[in-house]
Amino acid sequence: EVDILRDKKIAIVFGAETPVGEHCVQLLLNHPAYNQVFVFAAKPLSLKSTKLKQFSLKSFLSGEISRLEGNDLFYCTNDFLQNISAEDQLNSAELARILPVAKLAAKGGVNQFLVLSSAGANPESLIPLLKMKGQIAEILSKMSFWGVHLFKPVPIRKEQIKSFWGHGLAFLLQKGAAQLDEDLAHEVTPLRSIVIAKAMVNAAQQLEKGYHIYNNESIERLGKA
């Protein structure tokens, strides 16, 4: 029987350098349910707290860490619609890192895996990046975590909106084949990073077993709870 805790928890955060990740770390440090927050980052964060323990991302990539032990793992990196090509995104270290992270977390007995994905992510997508993100989500859904929480907001930064609409035709071409996320067809308002971060932290406190997907509407609702 998995021991699920409501307090005195250990959080693990990847992607703390991103807007969502930075907010997540701050929220976790201030949250009474967490005694410790382990952060893996490319460079040290300027935050100071007795709860905070920082690890070099280099130590993880070099294989020095054989397992990730904690209760809730927040994977906050989202490469969707940056100003680089889809091919470069598919080859990025960040996207390639999530599955090794998940495997070490499962090995270490992490209960809940919360990951920031993208609206439109689908293993059948015609867009390579969204297809890969969908395939990753499918793999996570079959792993041994007590709970997997997948967050699929539309692009979250103002400078991404133009790029988003540049990809709009490709999204619409998939609509007839039921490959377009229905929420994406109706929701085009980007959510603020703090709202997404609050939704991720709040979702972890609900302690809901199984595989859960959050669209813009449910993310916004959770982020305001």
Side-chain angles (χ1 to χ4, degrees):
E1 184 69 22
V2 177
D3 183 22
I4 305 299
L5 300 179
R6 289 186 177 275
D7 57 11
K8 299 180 181 178
K9 295 198 289 183
I10 296 174
I12 304 169
V13 181
F14 279 81
E17 302 92 336
T18 68
V20 173
E22 183 178 356
H23 285 304
C24 258
V25 173
Q26 293 174 333
L27 290 167
L28 292 166
L29 291 174
N30 293 324
H31 201 292
Y34 295 92
N35 276 5
Q36 291 181 294
V37 180
F38 297 162
V39 172
F40 288 83
K43 56 184 180 180
L45 304 180
S46 59
L47 297 172
K48 301 294 182 182
S49 172
T50 55
K51 289 185 179 182
L52 180 63
K53 187 171 183 180
Q54 301 196 54
F55 297 88
S56 166
L57 191 56
K58 186 177 180 180
S59 66
F60 175 84
L61 297 175
S62 65
E64 294 176 30
I65 296 171
S66 59
R67 65 171 58 195
L68 293 167
E69 297 181 346
N71 303 103
D72 303 332
L73 193 151
F74 298 83
Y75 196 91
C76 303
T77 294
N78 190 335
D79 289 330
F80 186 44
L81 296 181
Q82 300 294 327
N83 294 319
I84 54 177
S85 69
E87 289 74 23
D88 287 339
Q89 291 187 40
L90 289 174
N91 293 325
S92 73
E94 197 59 57
L95 280 177
R97 188 178 302 141
I98 186 169
L99 292 182
V101 168
K103 290 176 182 178
L104 291 183
K107 182 179 178 182
V110 168
N111 303 135
Q112 299 188 99
F113 196 97
L114 302 100
V115 57
L116 178 60
S117 185
S118 304
N122 188 309
E124 303 300 323
S125 177
L126 299 178
I127 300 175
L129 177 62
L130 295 182
K131 181 175 182 178
M132 185 178 192
K133 282 180 174 285
Q135 290 171 336
I136 288 172
E138 200 169 56
I139 294 171
L140 292 176
S141 72
K142 298 174 182 177
M143 296 184 73
S144 61
F145 298 106
W146 187 81
V148 173
H149 301 264
L150 189 72
F151 297 81
K152 299 173 64 176
V154 299
I156 59 177
R157 294 182 228 170
K158 291 180 179 178
E159 61 267 25
Q160 292 177 324
I161 295 176
K162 184 176 179 180
S163 179
F164 169 72
W165 286 115
H167 287 280
L169 178 60
F171 280 127
L172 293 174
L173 288 174
Q174 297 179 73
K175 190 174 182 181
Q179 295 177 359
L180 174 62
D181 189 298
E182 291 182 3
D183 299 311
L184 187 59
H186 301 289
E187 300 180 43
V188 295
T189 303
L191 296 174
R192 291 185 300 144
S193 299
I194 182 63
V195 173
I196 299 172
K198 284 182 178 179
M200 295 180 76
V201 173
N202 287 340
Q205 312 320 309
Q206 294 182 346
L207 300 180
E208 293 185 358
K209 185 177 182 179
Y211 183 65
H212 309 277
I213 297 175
Y214 305 87
N215 58 18
N216 247 37
E217 183 181 354
S218 53
I219 292 171
E220 187 170 24
R221 185 170 59 250
L222 263 176
K224 293 182 177 179

